[in-house]
Each structure stands twice: as C-alpha cells, then as structure tokens.
Amino acid sequence: MRITAKQVLTAQAVVVGGLALVVLVREMPGIVREIRIWRMVGLGTGSRPPR
C-alpha cells in the first residue's frame, strides 16, 4: 500500500487542526475573561458611546 503526498498533507492538516481546536477549547475561559476585562476598561468595540 502506497501513501500519496496528498494523503500525507491531508493527515497533517487534520492533526494540526485538531491540536488547534484542543488549544482553543482549553484557553476559552481565559479568552472570555480577557474580553470581559477589556470591556470594563473600555477597549471593546461596543463599549464606547458614539461621538
């Protein structure tokens, strides 16, 4: 059985995508916390009143 270059690239893309998804899921509580802090400080896009 031969493995083609396309199959190798597909497998690599699946592994990298899976790892990225795992990191995103693990870091989600910290990301949500940071967004809340940014909104309290006034760095969020929707927190400023229109001029």
Side-chain angles (χ1 to χ4, degrees):
M1 184 175 132
R2 291 181 136 181
I3 298 175
T4 64
K6 186 175 182 180
Q7 289 173 330
V8 172
L9 288 174
T10 303
Q12 287 177 345
V14 168
V15 169
V16 169
L19 288 174
L21 185 63
V22 167
V23 169
L24 182 66
V25 168
R26 288 191 69 191
E27 293 297 324
M28 189 59 70
I31 293 170
V32 170
R33 188 180 313 119
E34 290 291 330
I35 291 172
R36 287 181 182 165
I37 292 171
W38 290 345
R39 286 184 179 168
M40 282 190 286
V41 172
L43 296 177
T45 56
S47 63
R48 293 183 185 164
R51 293 183 178 187

